Amino acid sequence: MIPPWPVVHAAVFALAALQALASDTFIAAVYEHAVILPRAAQETVSPEDALALMNKNMDILEGAIKEAAQQGAHIIVTPEDGIYGWVFTREAIYPYLEDIPDPEVNWIPCTDPTRFAPTPVLERLSCMARNNSIYVVANIGDKKSCNSSDPSCPSDGRYQYNTNVVFDSEGKLVARYHKYNLFRQETQFNYPKEPELVTFKTPFGKFGIFTCFDILFREPAVVLVSELQVDTVLFPTAWMNVLPFLTAVEFHSAWAMGMRVNLLSANTHNIRMSMTGSGLFTPGGAAAYYYNSKTEEGRLLVAELSARPRLSPTYPPAVNWSSYATSVKNFTEDITFLGAVRRDIFTFSELKHEDGNYTVCQKDLCCHLTYRMSNKSNDEIYVLGAFDGLHGSVIKYHWQVCTLLKCKSTDLSTCGQPVETAQTKFDMFSLSGTFGTNYVFPEVLYSDVQLAPGEFEVLPDGRLESKNTTSKPLLTATLFGRLYEKDLKHPLRNSP
């Protein structure tokens, strides 16, 4: 039987509409939020006072969400701790928590707010998404009751989790993620028993989600990208900037390039805590970013990204990070000295000439550098550095780092100390290393903590190279490697 023409026409129209929805690009947004903090985070407040504070922050977030939607954004990420702040005790954070159900319950809190226990924050976030037809990503706290039948149940009878939630454009809860790698000061929260690998699909790609400190570890971050093949990672964070290698925009941009994935990074903004730096990062570099350590201002960022970067003709090729470095004869290794980058002891060699070739080795890692400076400042010193070892005072994880680095002063003992400004530009640099891992993240940071999108490239043989003379003075060019298999056992995760 041949269907009547209106039916055929409707079917063709529906197929065309679905194809149009599966766009090659989408518009993404992140909002860096200057969080309104409780007056005394260590003190327990009433649920009414807790909600009042959260509503003040959500008032600001709602304005950003509306603006993003007006600019055509399909999804917006807001920061970790963006609704109530940080540095709580376990008891003090409890009034801020809600019991967040599994997304399998198929729930739109905006239209069905009484289905579960009182959840005014979830209801409001759901309505923000629904009323503006935009996916909304937010970070709140989850509480789950337990009892003595669970040997890991905390003594107060509940688990408390640092939690991300995602609502789709109709306001439905589509994802919930409990942070697996807690920062050492997050004693108000419990560690989940197992890492959660949270993904969801949209017409504009497959998404994964994790939080802040998670990005430094294999689970769930690397697994989501390498094994589950997400296109875009959603990344609420409350990142405290640490020069020279771990400022937010620097490392998050490098991670997106090294993993060859989109990363939507939304940071909190608090200059007293050195928190700033958000961005829309892609396999090719930063599409948009914000770093402001001078004023207490948040910022909305919006950019168009590839929905499925692996299918893009501009998708970068796979990199063999040690190929070049292991194939060349070591350059001349001049006199080396030891210097500290925080607690990590690097092997450094001073770049004594305006151009040259250098090799510096530490343990299994040898770093090679070819460079030429264009306007060497007489009161600046640069070094080539290598580090191969465990990082961290409590939670210890293995780094391999090759870095071209500006020292704080002409005193070599200052090499590795934080510095934000420089005067020397480079006509060219080429940095490589004998890395024992496929997980290497390329960083280039200019004076005033600015990125260099489009000004450098990573070759398939593992060389990080400038394309032309640097447009601004250089702070550091770094290859940051992670050997996850050499991390020590986590000392805190089994604690209730």
Side-chain angles (χ1 to χ4, degrees), residues 145 437 439:
S145 298
T437 177
Y439 299 105

Side-chain angles (χ1 to χ4, degrees), residues 5 48 93 133 169 179 223 291 309 347 353 381 388 400 430:
W5 168 248
E48 293 76 18
I93 202 172
S133 299
S169 56
K179 185 177 180 181
V223 176
Y291 179 94
T347 301
H353 309 288
I381 287 178
D388 185 358
Q400 283 186 329
S430 177

Side-chain angles (χ1 to χ4, degrees), residues 357-376:
N357 304 309
Y358 282 79
T359 295
V360 170
C361 299
Q362 185 179 110
K363 296 181 182 177
D364 295 331
L365 178 68
C366 284
C367 303
H368 304 306
L369 173 69
T370 300
Y371 72 95
R372 184 171 63 251
M373 300 177 185
S374 63
N375 65 332
K376 175 70 166 63

Side-chain angles (χ1 to χ4, degrees), residues 340-351:
V341 179
R342 295 176 68 84
R343 295 184 179 90
D344 301 329
I345 304 303
F346 276 65
T347 301
F348 288 127
S349 183
E350 180 186 354
L351 308 186

Side-chain angles (χ1 to χ4, degrees), residues 63 106 115 161 309 426:
N106 192 26
R115 180 176 172 188
Y161 298 116
F426 282 70

Side-chain angles (χ1 to χ4, degrees), residues 282-304:
T282 76
Y289 75 97
Y290 175 69
Y291 179 94
N292 178 355
S293 62
K294 306 299 182 184
T295 64
E296 290 288 1
E297 296 177 358
R299 177 68 63 89
L300 175 68
L301 300 174
V302 180
E304 186 174 11

Side-chain angles (χ1 to χ4, degrees), residues 378-414:
N378 291 330
D379 59 354
E380 292 189 330
I381 287 178
Y382 285 80
V383 294
L384 173 64
F387 176 78
D388 185 358
L390 291 169
H391 168 83
S393 57
V394 178
I395 304 167
K396 296 185 181 295
Y397 43 104
H398 198 108
W399 290 1
Q400 283 186 329
V401 181
C402 290
T403 183
L404 162 60
L405 179 71
K406 178 188 178 289
C407 301
K408 188 173 183 179
S409 74
T410 56
D411 181 350
L412 292 178
S413 68
T414 68

